[in-house]
Amino acid sequence: MLLHAKKSLKKMYPVANNYFGGLLPSHSFSVCDLVHPLRSSNRASRHVIPFKARSFTQCSLEGHSADQEIVIAMGSNVGDRVSTFDRALQLMKSSGVSITRHANLYETAPAYVTDQPRFLNSAIRGTTRLDPHELLKKLKEIEKDIGRTSGIRYGPRPIDLDILLYGNSQINSETLIVPHERIHERPFVLAPLVDLLGGSGDDGTETSWHSLSKCSGGFFELWNKLGGESLIGTKSIKRVLPIGNCLLDWCERTLVMGVLNLTPDSFSDGGKFQQVEAAISQAKLLISEGADIIDIGAQSTRPFAKRLSPNEELERLIPVLDEITKIPKMEGKFLSVDTFYAEVASEAVKRGVHMINDVSGGQLDPKILKVAAELRVPYVAMHMRGDPSTMQSEQNLQYDDVCKEVASELYAHVGEAELSGIPLWRIVLDPGIGFSKKSKHNLEVIMGLESIRREISKMSIGASHVPILLGPSRKRFLGEICNREDPVERDVATVAAVTAGILNGANIVRVHNAAYGADAAKVCDALHKGRKWED
């Protein structure tokens, strides 16, 4: 058995090495060596070992009293596609499917019948005790409930739900074929499917799934044959973040988030924008300087800051929110609320905020995860240990490998968020520059964003692709490096940190000086495009 596995691994090695650009080690290897490294394109994978899949006959004889791991694909190109997906998720949960993971959200060109609107595609991974045909029946009922009727094959439809994988079973009946017979030719299916792979704690399940692909390199080889990550961002398929009424392609260009603090005690500009008029004036300035998102915070999270109650925070926040949404220049821009309270997040979204930015990743008020799921807005989960009063304690500053540990702790937030009902396609990750980190840790994180993605990919490939927000603006470590005691004098140093972050994979940068941040982002984006032209 071990000899067979070793031979199979050797056969798979050239495929895996080609998939990751020759980055795998050339020495003799073990099963553990085939955890694929991540390239700058953010591709990732895990090892694959041959596993004999069960036939449907065997499955039916054994019964399905135990939970079965499943993958269900989702597609829609009629009506409000995002809302349709949200409804489908809720109906699946109420029909006997426990959702544990979500793929990213993809906007794709129509296939087969090309004269129709673009599709949204994704997939979920979960468990069920329904047998395959019972599950199929439930999915067809959900499609009908959402409004799907019979139409032309491959034509427009409000929702399409397909069983891609069911346990380690092969099914071939008159009404159901699993794995889905056209997986190998569909990028819009393979991209979400690959997202759902990564360390699950159950190697056997994913191993059997790869064996069902009938390809020596598993689903990774199939995805690679269609073009893999080189397809993402093209006209045929792109990852998108639903925010406001938009589908945002965060890889198209770097987004600039402008900081608006309504606090008397923030480290950089505390007290400057407490009055509504001053806050609105600053918001207008940030927009004119190139900010895509205005991040409004009514509670300081600087080290050792005093914590406000939700009511105190709302007293500062509401008057500004009520006025800022009236600014004509806000058209096409987005508002984010910087809070860790569920109550504040809920009220802010009701008043026009598009995104929740939680420095605690759900740790300080766990109710915020359920609220974010119900509000159906993007959720930024940041890395921090403890709270602002304890985050810089000696205990919280201990790391053996800061990038590896930040990745692990961030992914724990992702898992909690997904189980609370926030799909992966609404999650943004922030490694928390200046939070629970010494100066050297901040520098390692900025330069190690690809390493953080690579570590996350070992746990979930999909999570390794989500947008990364980076917020080094005017932080103390920049003052230490440049001998700038006044935070306002750290804008040039901020540009350097932001530039390094973008070139290492940041998608959103949070800055106090939006003009400088926007210029840095434009140059980095031009450099990225130049690199693509050379390739």
Side-chain angles (χ1 to χ4, degrees):
M1 181 72 177
L2 288 174
L3 181 61
H4 174 66
K6 187 173 181 180
K7 287 179 179 178
S8 299
L9 283 170
K10 286 184 176 180
K11 182 180 179 183
M12 244 185 59
Y13 180 82
V15 174
N17 198 35
N18 177 62
Y19 184 77
F20 285 95
L23 293 180
L24 293 182
S26 58
H27 56 74
S28 59
F29 55 92
S30 66
V31 170
C32 295
D33 289 325
L34 275 178
V35 178
H36 301 276
L38 197 69
R39 296 184 64 191
S40 58
S41 60
N42 300 332
R43 289 182 289 190
S45 173
R46 65 177 287 107
H47 53 269
V48 182
I49 312 169
F51 188 103
K52 186 175 180 181
R54 297 179 295 172
S55 70
F56 177 60
T57 304
Q58 290 171 314
C59 291
S60 22
L61 289 173
E62 292 172 13
H64 291 282
S65 58
D67 287 341
Q68 297 292 317
E69 278 221 68
I70 56 172
V71 173
I72 298 172
M74 306 165 64
S76 172
N77 75 333
V78 172
D80 186 338
R81 299 168 296 171
V82 177
S83 293
T84 295
F85 274 16
D86 288 328
R87 188 176 176 199
L89 293 178
Q90 293 304 315
L91 290 173
M92 281 192 277
K93 290 175 185 176
S94 62
S95 299
V97 175
S98 177
I99 298 174
T100 54
R101 287 191 184 184
H102 309 75
N104 285 288
L105 191 64
Y106 295 84
E107 188 174 46
T108 64
Y112 310 115
V113 178
T114 58
D115 184 20
Q116 59 177 316
R118 290 175 67 84
F119 276 82
L120 280 189
N121 291 99
S122 191
I124 62 96
R125 178 171 173 173
T127 59
T128 188
R129 293 197 172 189
L130 298 169
D131 74 34
H133 289 90
E134 288 174 335
L135 177 60
L136 177 65
K137 182 181 177 182
K138 291 287 186 182
L139 296 181
K140 294 303 178 186
E141 289 172 357
I142 292 170
E143 290 181 342
K144 184 177 180 180
D145 188 36
I146 289 175
R148 182 171 179 180
T149 57
S150 57
I152 62 170
R153 192 179 187 191
Y154 306 130
R157 74 287 306 269
I159 190 67
D160 190 14
L161 301 173
D162 287 321
I163 303 172
L164 299 184
L165 296 163
Y166 184 97
N168 54 15
S169 305
Q170 285 183 293
I171 304 166
N172 195 338
S173 69
E174 289 184 6
T175 56
L176 181 62
I177 297 176
V178 175
H180 195 282
E181 59 185 330
R182 293 187 179 272
I183 286 179
H184 66 282
E185 64 185 46
R186 296 179 172 182
F188 60 87
V189 172
L190 276 171
L193 173 56
V194 169
D195 277 352
L196 296 170
L197 304 176
S200 64
D202 177 11
D203 290 346
T205 297
E206 290 194 7
T207 299
S208 69
W209 286 352
H210 283 294
S211 74
L212 290 169
S213 72
K214 300 178 182 178
C215 200
S216 60
F219 289 112
F220 303 120
E221 183 177 350
L222 291 181
W223 174 228
N224 191 39
K225 283 182 176 179
L226 292 181
E229 277 298 306
S230 66
L231 290 177
I232 304 299
T234 65
K235 291 182 179 180
S236 64
I237 181 170
K238 58 183 180 178
R239 294 189 184 98
V240 291
L241 174 77
I243 179 169
N245 295 320
C246 300
L247 290 174
L248 202 61
D249 178 0
W250 67 88
C251 292
E252 186 176 339
R253 67 177 180 87
T254 305
L255 301 171
V256 177
M257 175 183 276
V259 180
L260 179 57
N261 288 320
L262 312 180
T263 56
D265 53 346
S266 289
F267 79 94
S268 171
D269 49 14
K272 289 185 177 182
F273 311 117
Q274 282 185 275
Q275 301 302 315
V276 174
E277 294 79 9
I280 297 304
S281 178
Q282 179 65 6
K284 290 178 179 178
L285 176 63
L286 291 169
I287 293 168
S288 68
E289 290 180 336
D292 302 290
I293 308 165
I294 306 295
D295 189 41
I296 307 175
Q299 174 153 199
S300 175
T301 52
R302 64 176 174 79
F304 313 112
K306 178 186 175 182
R307 187 187 298 193
L308 299 181
S309 69
N311 285 338
E312 290 173 310
E313 195 173 326
L314 284 169
E315 284 176 7
R316 293 177 181 175
L317 186 65
I318 288 174
V320 174
L321 276 182
D322 286 347
E323 292 302 317
I324 201 170
T325 53
K326 299 175 184 177
I327 299 175
K329 289 184 179 179
M330 279 303 301
E331 184 73 26
K333 306 292 183 180
F334 304 106
L335 288 175
S336 167
V337 62
D338 181 358
T339 187
F340 47 75
Y341 284 130
E343 184 180 338
V344 175
S346 180
E347 189 63 31
V349 172
K350 288 177 184 176
R351 293 174 180 268
V353 163
H354 307 96
M355 173 186 288
I356 298 168
N357 184 9
D358 179 6
V359 297
S360 80
Q363 303 307 295
L364 297 183
D365 183 359
K367 295 191 298 293
I368 199 170
L369 297 177
K370 285 290 186 183
V371 165
E374 292 166 2
L375 294 171
R376 297 176 179 175
V377 295
Y379 175 75
V380 182
M382 196 192 80
H383 176 266
M384 175 176 66
R385 293 173 172 177
D387 60 35
S389 67
T390 63
M391 65 184 183
Q392 294 303 108
S393 68
E394 193 59 32
Q395 180 182 358
N396 285 330
L397 293 173
Q398 296 302 312
Y399 297 93
D400 292 324
D401 183 328
V402 65
C403 288
K404 187 173 184 178
E405 290 169 60
V406 166
S408 177
E409 291 164 31
L410 274 177
Y411 183 65
H413 295 339
V414 172
E416 291 170 2
E418 288 199 84
L419 290 176
S420 297
I422 304 175
L424 188 67
W425 64 70
R426 287 198 176 103
I427 295 176
V428 178
L429 294 179
D430 181 345
I433 300 299
F435 290 80
S436 310
K437 296 168 188 71
K438 298 178 181 178
S439 292
K440 66 174 184 177
H441 297 142
N442 292 321
L443 296 172
E444 288 176 26
V445 167
I446 291 171
M447 295 303 292
L449 294 180
E450 286 192 7
S451 174
I452 289 173
R453 287 194 189 272
R454 182 163 56 247
E455 289 297 327
I456 291 175
S457 75
K458 296 175 183 177
M459 298 169 275
S460 164
I461 291 172
S464 73
H465 291 308
V466 304
I468 285 183
L469 186 155
L470 193 73
S473 186
R474 297 180 179 175
K475 295 288 173 71
R476 180 178 299 177
F477 79 102
L478 297 176
E480 292 174 357
I481 294 169
C482 301
N483 194 25
R484 300 286 183 181
E485 188 172 340
D486 185 349
V488 178
E489 295 181 356
R490 300 171 190 166
D491 283 344
V492 175
T494 297
V495 168
V498 161
T499 298
I502 296 171
L503 294 178
N504 281 285
N507 307 107
I508 308 169
V509 291
R510 185 178 183 272
V511 292
H512 294 82
N513 189 319
Y516 285 6
D519 282 354
K522 289 173 185 175
V523 172
C524 290
D525 292 344
L527 289 169
H528 275 308
K529 288 179 181 178
R531 188 183 298 170
K532 287 181 180 178
W533 291 333
E534 290 176 5
D535 292 342

